[in-house]
Amino acid sequence: MNYQLGEGFWSRRIRQVCDRMIPLQLSILKDEEPDTEPSHALENFRIAAGLAEGDFHGMVFQDSDVGKWIEAAAYRLMISPDPELEAEIDRIVEVLGKAQQPDGYLNTWFTIREPGKRWTNLQDCHELYSFGHLAEGAVAYHQATGKDAFLKIMCRMADHIDTVLGPEEGKLHGYPGHPEAELALYRLYLETGEERYLKLSRYFLDQRGTEPNFFLQEAERRGFISHWTGKKETVSLPYYQAHQPVRQQEEAVGHAVRALYLYTAMASVAAETGDAELKEACRKLWHSAAEQKMYVTGGLGATAKGEAFMGPYELPNDTAYAETCASVALCFFARAMSRLERDGRYGDAAELALYNTVLAGVSLQADRFFYVNPLEVVRGVSGVQQGLEHDLPERPRWYACACCPPNVARLLTSLKEYAVQEDPGEITVHQYLDGTVECGQATLTLRTEYPWDGLLSYHIEAREELKLFLRIPGWAERTEVALELDGKALSAGPEKGFVRLELTKGRHEIRLSLPLRPRRIYAHERVRQDAGCVAFACGPLVYCLEGCDNPEPLWNLKADPAAEITLTDREPECLGGVRKMRIPGFRREDRSEELYSSRPPVYVPQMLTAIPYYAWANREARDMRVWIRE
Amino acid sequence: MNYQLGEGFWSRRIRQVCDRMIPLQLSILKDEEPDTEPSHALENFRIAAGLAEGDFHGMVFQDSDVGKWIEAAAYRLMISPDPELEAEIDRIVEVLGKAQQPDGYLNTWFTIREPGKRWTNLQDCHELYSFGHLAEGAVAYHQATGKDAFLKIMCRMADHIDTVLGPEEGKLHGYPGHPEAELALYRLYLETGEERYLKLSRYFLDQRGTEPNFFLQEAERRGFISHWTGKKETVSLPYYQAHQPVRQQEEAVGHAVRALYLYTAMASVAAETGDAELKEACRKLWHSAAEQKMYVTGGLGATAKGEAFMGPYELPNDTAYAETCASVALCFFARAMSRLERDGRYGDAAELALYNTVLAGVSLQADRFFYVNPLEVVRGVSGVQQGLEHDLPERPRWYACACCPPNVARLLTSLKEYAVQEDPGEITVHQYLDGTVECGQATLTLRTEYPWDGLLSYHIEAREELKLFLRIPGWAERTEVALELDGKALSAGPEKGFVRLELTKGRHEIRLSLPLRPRRIYAHERVRQDAGCVAFACGPLVYCLEGCDNPEPLWNLKADPAAEITLTDREPECLGGVRKMRIPGFRREDRSEELYSSRPPVYVPQMLTAIPYYAWANREARDMRVWIRE
């Protein structure tokens, strides 16, 4: 599947990733970026390869940053050639090859710091995680260039892992502390056809959480001493999704990114193997994660403690964690679920995550990054006070744990994979990605100003007769959706979120019109933090209020539940050309003298102004709020 | 000042403290209470005295539990004799005397565990804190019985401290990590007339937070190793209120109980010495603590992290710490401020704390205790989920750190001291304490069912001509307050919260009628957590909704802002005879299918039932909420 950029919303963002984020991230990986903490990730490989002297620096999973960056860069090469970038990757791969040990082992932490301790702490030391990201990078680079040096390196490492872990006697009966190798092994299998990789991926899934519990046994062997604290720590199995066999898991718990990577692997393997039990577990976990524990912005993982899911419907706005990586991972999970069954809810959730939390993770200049995405920010409180230290009111430039920016980069540069799915005789459109996607059976060109305008114009060249499935977003009022095929109106009533069009061989023009009107959103009655509040959205974009546009404090504003909400025209100078929302409402006018009094608050009319959530914190640092009192 | 119990609200509670809490606490101190973790506090003294073998157990400040209990027991003896209890205390005092070291030093932790390390960690090791509580107990016991054995022991310790700490060269220029010795030294001075004690108390206050900072120097000497974690820790000076000289402090910060003990000592010394600068600092700190950082229930210290104050107006309800001890300490501070200047706001805040958070700290059976007093509790979330582990939905029996129950006991048994203040030619009534308070100049007998009924009937025998000041609570509508002296109506318009009555020598009858009607309370516009919400009160009692009386979840209930609220009659079987509140309102009726939707919530009428906050969690464990959406 090839993709050529267009001129619309996503093309502009992807172009920014290609032109700014990927070079910036390379510069950081090479420790060349001024005013930025050195990553040391490439230097670690040079040291492990014997090409440089020095000690390991960074997180125990620092290698993964290189893997994720190569993966993003490889997708970028698929969009348009860049010999310089390719040569840069080849040079890195050469170093990686030299850092690989004679038995195929590749991990700079253990090679430099703890050569004798390989595979002694699967729970925390991320060996399989780093392998996984490097392997995904290798697969992507092979796909982009046909060069197999990196792929071979990672297959050697996979082969080595296969000698160390597995069900056979004498092997460790373990699995990754941070799921990722499961996904990578599946992709290695798809790329190489090597069944052992699929088998090992399935083993990791099936072994997870079984009795006797591997992590508990492993922790006992090291006296329960934690890699992170150097002290005795108890093992929280739910944090690692290792509290139950995965087929029995029904609730999304623990570290949100770990969980969503795991579920993605489960769904991928279920699709590959037709495993009905695994599919059913995936459905339940999807329901829990996306339909009980997801913020209205597509954020997941409500608490900073363990970067984890909280209980169902427990979605605090000001202390939210909602890591950018978790929303990226939700897109992975959604894509895998979409392969399991055609249901628009997966694309709906991915769309929400993409347009809101994923994009909010990156500044409009693509040079600063949120890792944590709260839904309420209060100056002097957020980022400062107890329990809110992680909720920053401004995007920092870079983190020591630089997981999110390369994750966004690899997601957006491969967005075609999330937008379009090709099966024999069928093409399914999950996301409206402007530009041209070339499949085997057809070429789809989308011209649109979506999400600013609801008109989606497809030009399709079908190389054979096929069925085209278009996702009709769940937020769109059915009666207001209009669909035309080659000038003829069709019913746009979707089934499980999709309309089906029968295309003959040849050229077709499709016009899909979605109702882009501001709408109010109310939370489930069990979400206590949003009780009495309303959020605003237009199409896939969730809006928020910022202090730049509204009188602070924002909690003293109320929206009029009945008044008409309008959209402004786009102004190119304003936040990259967003449409703002004008919401009639009220603000509390009285000034209190006492902390508590019996005088009821006095409200006066106030026009509220909202901007898309993804664009927040791109001006002066002020308060922000998604849920507004009504 | 003597006090005889009556038959009203406070007398019943004080009787419970005397008859149940004090014996229960003794039984716990003696490690004799079944199903309760042994306190070991008395055993520590026996070991230090050489009367038993064994190791120290408990908190580093375990000694203080004994001091606080003796103080409460002494007040209890002042109410009515109890030879058995007195003999019990004498036996304890004998052990304390034997545990005292030849140089006067008395502290079981350092005597048993770290004999060579006395006075090396004032910041964390509570030597001066434990001394202070024991000394307060000694003063009270001397006042109650005239026996001076305990007082002499504690004076010897005070004398010893005076040789170790102070401004002179060769002494440590330190002060208590947890303020308390300042208060105790002041009381020792009042009891013995020894000026050195007042001087040392003032030194502790004046030295605090000066440069070079004592705690930083001390921490450097021990390599910044923390007593609590055994690891290197930075010193947070605001936590200890040691970040600035106390006269420069304007904001209540850090550990709430430490802060309020410190401010109490500052106000006490300011009253004693007429120190205007210190008085001004006290006023500012009062404003910050009680008028910017206090919950509507009289709770203080919004965060569990450091049991500390958060920023101004930052008052989260579900994660509140609001330690019972902090509300007890607010009563201390209020009493000291009342001695500095006659202003009803001090008594108002003390009344709020007393009737709500202090009483909520004790079950209606006086056998279980809250240390933490949230304003919102959600089953399955409170006490369980991240950041809310400390907010328990049910009172536990006893804590390892048993600070709160004896603090409540000593406050309630000495409530007369907070209710009535005697000065030459003047008596000031701060709190309406039923029963008989015998002052030097007059005897005041109050018969009332307050706070269930607004009629307060005083019979006063004035032994000389005097001015009587009665606090008119700030919550009382002036126009609805009625006052009669010997059958003649007087103006009840208060000045700075007090009406003044001129009493001739002889008997007088005063009838004060306060309007006990349910009222709504709204929070300051800067309290974001209470925006859009209303609380309910009647007289000094703040009310809350419990799941036992209302359909859960409580966040889906709304109060009608205009409807009339009624009070039920008292039912003796119901929570010890409270009056419930009936509040017309609404509940969200729709059942959501989706996590988010555009369907506005549907509300139906619902009568809400509220109970006094102090009585919550005395039935089945259900949800609770003070602030209700309006």
Side-chain angles (χ1 to χ4, degrees):
Chain A
M1 203 186 283
N2 286 320
Y3 173 57
Q4 289 104 49
L5 294 170
E7 296 298 327
F9 183 87
W10 283 117
S11 291
R12 284 193 289 273
R13 294 304 290 232
I14 295 169
R15 204 168 273 126
Q16 260 192 339
V17 175
C18 296
D19 296 348
R20 294 192 204 167
M21 272 174 73
I22 289 176
L24 170 69
Q25 288 174 23
L26 176 62
S27 168
I28 291 166
L29 288 177
K30 292 167 82 174
D31 306 336
E32 290 173 356
E33 188 63 21
D35 305 325
T36 303
E37 205 186 328
S39 149
H40 216 266
L42 287 172
E43 188 66 8
N44 286 338
F45 278 108
R46 286 173 48 78
I47 294 166
L51 301 171
E53 297 277 311
D55 195 8
F56 178 96
H57 281 102
M59 313 296 284
V60 70
F61 48 84
Q62 203 78 353
D63 291 358
S64 67
D65 286 357
V66 176
K68 282 153 98 174
W69 179 82
I70 294 180
E71 190 183 347
Y75 298 140
R76 185 245 166 283
L77 291 177
M78 292 184 202
I79 293 171
S80 65
D82 183 334
E84 208 174 303
L85 179 64
E86 195 172 325
E88 192 79 64
I89 299 172
D90 289 339
R91 283 192 293 273
I92 293 171
V93 169
E94 210 182 314
V95 176
L96 263 57
K98 289 183 181 158
Q100 187 163 40
Q101 304 297 296
D103 59 0
Y105 186 81
L106 181 62
N107 181 290
T108 68
W109 167 272
F110 283 97
T111 299
I112 300 173
R113 277 275 181 91
E114 298 192 302
K117 294 208 169 171
R118 290 182 188 180
W119 313 117
T120 57
N121 190 341
L122 297 189
Q123 178 192 302
D124 282 335
C125 286
H126 288 71
E127 269 161 306
L128 293 167
Y129 172 81
S130 293
F131 152 73
H133 276 305
L134 288 165
E136 287 208 79
V139 168
Y141 194 58
H142 184 247
Q143 289 170 340
T145 63
K147 293 179 183 172
D148 65 359
F150 193 15
L151 187 67
K152 280 183 173 164
I153 291 170
M154 296 319 299
C155 285
R156 281 187 64 205
M157 174 64 167
D159 295 339
H160 174 69
I161 293 169
D162 197 33
T163 67
V164 175
L165 290 137
E168 297 84 1
E169 212 171 315
K171 291 186 183 178
L172 282 176
H173 304 322
Y175 38 86
H178 192 315
E180 160 62 24
E182 298 87 338
L183 285 166
L185 286 165
Y186 174 62
R187 289 186 70 181
L188 276 186
Y189 153 73
L190 292 181
E191 195 68 11
T192 65
E194 177 55 72
E195 293 269 356
R196 278 185 301 121
Y197 301 153
L198 178 62
K199 207 178 127 205
L200 188 56
S201 176
R202 288 186 66 175
Y203 174 71
F204 285 159
L205 294 177
D206 288 335
Q207 178 65 3
R208 191 172 206 91
T210 56
E211 293 293 337
N213 191 285
F214 178 78
F215 287 152
L216 293 180
Q217 292 181 317
E218 185 189 68
E220 210 177 332
R221 285 197 286 273
R222 62 167 185 277
F224 287 91
I225 300 300
S226 156
H227 166 81
W228 301 105
T229 63
K231 297 204 302 181
K232 238 178 182 167
E233 303 281 357
T234 54
V235 178
S236 166
L237 295 176
Y239 173 86
Y240 301 96
Q241 299 81 40
H243 54 301
Q244 283 180 312
V246 297
R247 285 151 204 276
Q248 291 169 28
Q249 295 189 22
E250 299 189 355
E251 184 177 350
V253 295
H255 187 271
V257 176
R258 288 173 207 248
L260 293 162
Y261 276 30
L262 173 66
Y263 309 155
T264 303
M266 288 164 63
S268 301
V269 167
E272 183 69 31
T273 60
D275 184 328
E277 198 187 24
L278 201 53
K279 178 177 171 181
E280 193 47 38
C282 289
R283 275 190 176 145
K284 286 179 180 160
L285 290 166
W286 175 271
H287 176 64
S288 172
E291 292 160 14
Q292 294 190 319
K293 300 192 176 189
M294 188 175 73
Y295 286 99
V296 71
T297 49
L300 301 109
T303 170
K305 189 166 174 180
E307 305 175 335
F309 287 108
M310 295 186 82
Y313 306 104
E314 188 65 16
L315 293 163
N317 293 305
D318 56 349
T319 59
Y321 199 73
E323 187 180 337
T324 309
C325 277
S327 294
V328 170
L330 184 79
C331 296
F332 301 161
F333 188 20
R335 177 173 173 246
M337 291 305 292
S338 298
R339 266 71 182 164
L340 264 182
E341 57 184 356
R342 184 178 288 116
D343 191 325
R345 62 181 175 157
Y346 304 120
D348 282 354
E351 183 183 68
L352 189 72
L354 275 167
Y355 278 96
N356 299 287
T357 298
V358 171
L359 277 192
V362 183
S363 69
L364 293 177
Q365 300 301 319
D367 57 352
R368 302 182 79 91
F369 308 97
F370 272 136
Y371 295 69
V372 171
N373 296 281
L375 282 78
E376 178 184 1
V377 154
V378 179
R379 275 179 302 156
V381 175
S382 304
V384 180
Q385 295 211 8
Q386 190 270 339
L388 299 104
E389 299 91 341
H390 56 284
D391 291 297
L392 305 179
E394 292 182 279
R395 288 176 186 81
R397 185 146 169 79
W398 200 253
Y399 266 21
C401 172
C403 52
C404 299
N407 236 349
V408 174
R410 72 188 183 117
L411 174 66
L412 295 193
T413 47
S414 62
L415 201 53
K416 61 175 187 198
E417 301 289 340
Y418 302 83
V420 177
Q421 173 184 346
E422 186 172 16
D423 299 290
E426 293 179 2
I427 288 177
T428 307
V429 172
H430 298 288
Q431 306 297 340
Y432 300 111
L433 173 64
D434 69 288
T436 300
V437 177
E438 200 178 319
C439 302
Q441 303 164 100
T443 299
L444 289 73
T445 300
L446 172 61
R447 281 195 190 80
T448 182
E449 279 304 307
Y450 185 82
W452 309 121
D453 184 277
L455 182 64
L456 297 137
S457 301
Y458 271 104
H459 174 78
I460 296 182
E461 299 216 18
R463 278 177 278 284
E464 49 201 89
E465 196 179 285
L466 54 84
K467 296 190 184 76
L468 180 72
F469 293 88
L470 293 178
R471 183 176 64 86
I472 306 299
W475 50 258
E477 279 289 332
R478 286 180 179 217
T479 52
E480 299 183 28
V481 178
L483 180 63
E484 266 180 32
L485 172 60
D486 298 323
K488 272 189 285 188
L490 296 180
S491 156
E495 196 177 317
K496 284 209 166 181
F498 287 91
V499 286
R500 190 174 77 172
L501 291 84
E502 312 278 347
L503 300 188
T504 53
K505 190 175 164 181
R507 296 183 172 194
H508 298 283
E509 302 292 334
I510 297 171
R511 286 167 64 92
L512 174 64
S513 180
L514 298 176
L516 282 189
R517 284 191 295 105
R519 66 183 191 280
R520 294 176 170 85
I521 299 179
Y522 301 94
H524 192 282
E525 82 263 2
R526 286 188 58 196
V527 184
R528 68 193 176 96
Q529 290 89 357
D530 303 335
C533 289
V534 59
F536 300 93
C538 182
L541 298 173
V542 173
Y543 276 64
C544 68
L545 268 63
E546 269 198 313
C548 306
D549 304 307
N550 298 281
E552 290 175 337
L554 302 178
W555 59 80
N556 283 332
L557 304 179
K558 291 203 293 191
D560 182 335
E564 195 194 352
I565 305 168
T566 56
L567 281 175
T568 64
D569 290 335
R570 297 178 66 193
E571 298 163 34
E573 296 74 37
C574 175
L575 298 168
V578 302
R579 299 186 74 176
K580 291 185 176 179
M581 221 177 250
R582 303 280 185 211
I583 305 158
F586 309 89
R587 78 181 147 80
R588 183 169 171 182
E589 191 199 39
D590 58 306
R591 289 283 165 267
S592 312
E593 281 168 27
E594 297 160 303
L595 183 51
Y596 304 106
S597 90
S598 284
R599 270 177 296 106
V602 177
Y603 286 86
V604 294
Q606 169 75 43
M607 184 60 78
L608 313 180
T609 300
I611 60 164
Y613 176 74
Y614 79 77
W616 85 275
N618 277 288
R619 295 174 291 183
E620 200 188 338
R622 299 291 285 272
D623 291 0
M624 184 276 290
R625 204 173 161 97
V626 170
W627 290 99
I628 305 300
R629 293 169 44 215
E630 193 176 71
Chain B
M1 203 186 283
N2 287 321
Y3 173 57
Q4 290 104 48
L5 294 170
E7 296 298 327
F9 183 87
W10 282 117
S11 290
R12 284 193 289 272
R13 294 304 290 232
I14 295 169
R15 205 169 273 125
Q16 260 193 337
V17 174
C18 296
D19 297 348
R20 295 195 203 165
M21 271 174 73
I22 288 175
L24 170 68
Q25 288 174 23
L26 176 62
S27 167
I28 291 168
L29 288 177
K30 291 167 83 174
D31 308 334
E32 290 174 356
E33 187 64 19
D35 305 325
T36 303
E37 205 186 328
S39 149
H40 216 265
L42 287 172
E43 187 66 8
N44 287 338
F45 279 107
R46 288 173 47 79
I47 294 166
L51 301 172
E53 297 276 310
D55 194 10
F56 177 96
H57 281 102
M59 312 296 285
V60 69
F61 48 86
Q62 203 77 352
D63 290 0
S64 67
D65 285 357
V66 176
K68 282 154 97 175
W69 179 81
I70 294 181
E71 189 183 347
Y75 298 140
R76 185 246 165 281
L77 292 176
M78 292 184 200
I79 293 172
S80 67
D82 183 335
E84 207 174 304
L85 180 64
E86 195 171 325
E88 193 77 65
I89 298 173
D90 290 338
R91 283 194 292 273
I92 293 171
V93 168
E94 210 183 313
V95 176
L96 264 56
K98 289 183 181 158
Q100 187 163 41
Q101 304 298 296
D103 59 0
Y105 185 82
L106 180 62
N107 181 290
T108 68
W109 167 273
F110 283 97
T111 299
I112 300 172
R113 276 277 181 91
E114 298 192 300
K117 293 208 171 173
R118 288 182 190 179
W119 313 117
T120 57
N121 191 342
L122 298 188
Q123 178 193 301
D124 282 334
C125 286
H126 288 71
E127 268 162 307
L128 292 167
Y129 172 82
S130 293
F131 152 75
H133 277 304
L134 288 165
E136 287 208 78
V139 167
Y141 194 59
H142 184 245
Q143 290 170 342
T145 62
K147 294 179 183 171
D148 64 0
F150 193 16
L151 188 65
K152 280 184 175 165
I153 291 170
M154 295 320 298
C155 285
R156 280 187 66 207
M157 174 62 168
D159 295 341
H160 174 70
I161 292 168
D162 197 33
T163 67
V164 175
L165 290 138
E168 297 84 1
E169 212 170 317
K171 291 187 182 177
L172 281 176
H173 304 324
Y175 38 87
H178 193 315
E180 160 62 23
E182 299 87 338
L183 285 165
L185 286 164
Y186 174 62
R187 288 186 72 181
L188 276 185
Y189 154 73
L190 292 180
E191 194 68 11
T192 65
E194 177 55 72
E195 293 269 357
R196 279 185 299 118
Y197 301 152
L198 178 62
K199 207 178 127 208
L200 188 55
S201 176
R202 289 185 64 176
Y203 174 71
F204 285 159
L205 294 178
D206 288 336
Q207 179 64 4
R208 191 173 205 89
T210 57
E211 293 292 336
N213 190 286
F214 177 78
F215 287 152
L216 293 181
Q217 292 180 319
E218 186 189 68
E220 208 177 331
R221 285 197 286 274
R222 62 168 184 275
F224 287 91
I225 300 299
S226 156
H227 167 80
W228 301 105
T229 62
K231 297 203 304 178
K232 236 178 183 167
E233 304 281 357
T234 54
V235 178
S236 166
L237 294 176
Y239 172 86
Y240 301 96
Q241 300 81 40
H243 55 300
Q244 282 180 314
V246 296
R247 287 151 202 276
Q248 291 168 29
Q249 295 188 22
E250 299 190 355
E251 183 177 350
V253 295
H255 187 270
V257 177
R258 288 173 205 247
L260 293 161
Y261 277 30
L262 173 67
Y263 309 155
T264 303
M266 287 165 63
S268 302
V269 168
E272 182 70 31
T273 61
D275 185 327
E277 198 186 24
L278 202 53
K279 178 176 171 180
E280 192 49 37
C282 290
R283 274 189 175 147
K284 286 180 181 160
L285 290 166
W286 176 271
H287 175 65
S288 173
E291 290 160 15
Q292 293 190 319
K293 300 192 177 190
M294 188 174 73
Y295 286 99
V296 72
T297 49
L300 301 109
T303 170
K305 188 167 175 178
E307 306 175 335
F309 287 108
M310 295 185 84
Y313 305 105
E314 187 65 16
L315 293 163
N317 293 305
D318 56 348
T319 59
Y321 200 73
E323 187 180 336
T324 308
C325 276
S327 293
V328 170
L330 184 80
C331 297
F332 301 162
F333 188 21
R335 174 172 176 246
M337 290 306 292
S338 297
R339 267 68 182 166
L340 263 183
E341 57 185 356
R342 184 179 286 117
D343 191 326
R345 63 181 174 158
Y346 305 121
D348 282 352
E351 183 182 67
L352 189 72
L354 276 168
Y355 279 95
N356 299 287
T357 297
V358 171
L359 277 192
V362 183
S363 69
L364 294 176
Q365 301 302 319
D367 57 353
R368 303 182 77 92
F369 309 97
F370 272 136
Y371 295 70
V372 171
N373 296 281
L375 283 78
E376 178 184 1
V377 153
V378 180
R379 274 179 303 157
V381 174
S382 305
V384 180
Q385 295 214 7
Q386 188 271 337
L388 298 104
E389 299 90 339
H390 55 285
D391 291 297
L392 304 179
E394 292 182 278
R395 288 177 187 80
R397 184 146 171 81
W398 200 252
Y399 266 21
C401 171
C403 51
C404 299
N407 235 349
V408 173
R410 70 188 183 118
L411 174 67
L412 295 193
T413 47
S414 62
L415 201 53
K416 61 174 188 202
E417 301 288 340
Y418 302 82
V420 178
Q421 171 184 348
E422 186 172 18
D423 299 289
E426 295 180 359
I427 288 178
T428 307
V429 173
H430 298 289
Q431 306 297 340
Y432 300 112
L433 174 65
D434 69 287
T436 300
V437 176
E438 200 176 318
C439 303
Q441 304 164 99
T443 299
L444 289 72
T445 300
L446 171 61
R447 280 195 191 79
T448 181
E449 279 304 308
Y450 185 81
W452 308 122
D453 184 277
L455 182 64
L456 298 136
S457 301
Y458 271 103
H459 174 79
I460 295 182
E461 300 217 20
R463 280 178 276 285
E464 50 201 87
E465 196 178 284
L466 55 83
K467 297 191 186 73
L468 180 72
F469 293 88
L470 294 178
R471 183 176 63 86
I472 306 299
W475 50 259
E477 279 289 331
R478 287 181 176 217
T479 53
E480 300 181 28
V481 178
L483 180 64
E484 268 182 28
L485 173 59
D486 298 324
K488 271 189 286 188
L490 296 180
S491 156
E495 195 176 319
K496 283 210 164 180
F498 287 91
V499 286
R500 191 175 76 173
L501 291 85
E502 312 277 347
L503 299 188
T504 54
K505 192 176 165 178
R507 296 184 172 195
H508 298 282
E509 302 291 336
I510 296 171
R511 287 168 61 93
L512 174 63
S513 178
L514 298 177
L516 282 189
R517 284 191 295 107
R519 66 184 191 282
R520 294 176 171 84
I521 299 179
Y522 301 93
H524 192 282
E525 82 263 3
R526 286 188 57 196
V527 184
R528 67 192 176 98
Q529 290 88 357
D530 303 336
C533 289
V534 59
F536 300 93
C538 181
L541 298 173
V542 173
Y543 276 63
C544 68
L545 267 64
E546 269 196 315
C548 306
D549 305 307
N550 299 281
E552 291 174 336
L554 303 178
W555 59 81
N556 283 332
L557 304 178
K558 292 202 292 189
D560 182 335
E564 196 193 351
I565 305 167
T566 57
L567 281 174
T568 64
D569 291 336
R570 297 177 65 192
E571 299 163 35
E573 296 74 36
C574 176
L575 297 167
V578 302
R579 300 186 75 177
K580 290 184 179 181
M581 222 177 248
R582 303 279 185 210
I583 305 157
F586 308 91
R587 79 181 146 82
R588 184 170 170 181
E589 192 198 37
D590 57 305
R591 288 284 165 266
S592 312
E593 282 169 25
E594 298 160 301
L595 183 51
Y596 304 107
S597 89
S598 284
R599 269 176 298 107
V602 177
Y603 286 86
V604 294
Q606 169 75 43
M607 184 61 80
L608 313 180
T609 299
I611 62 164
Y613 177 74
Y614 79 76
W616 84 276
N618 278 288
R619 295 173 292 182
E620 197 189 341
R622 299 290 286 269
D623 291 359
M624 184 275 290
R625 204 174 161 97
V626 171
W627 290 98
I628 305 300
R629 293 168 43 213
E630 193 174 70

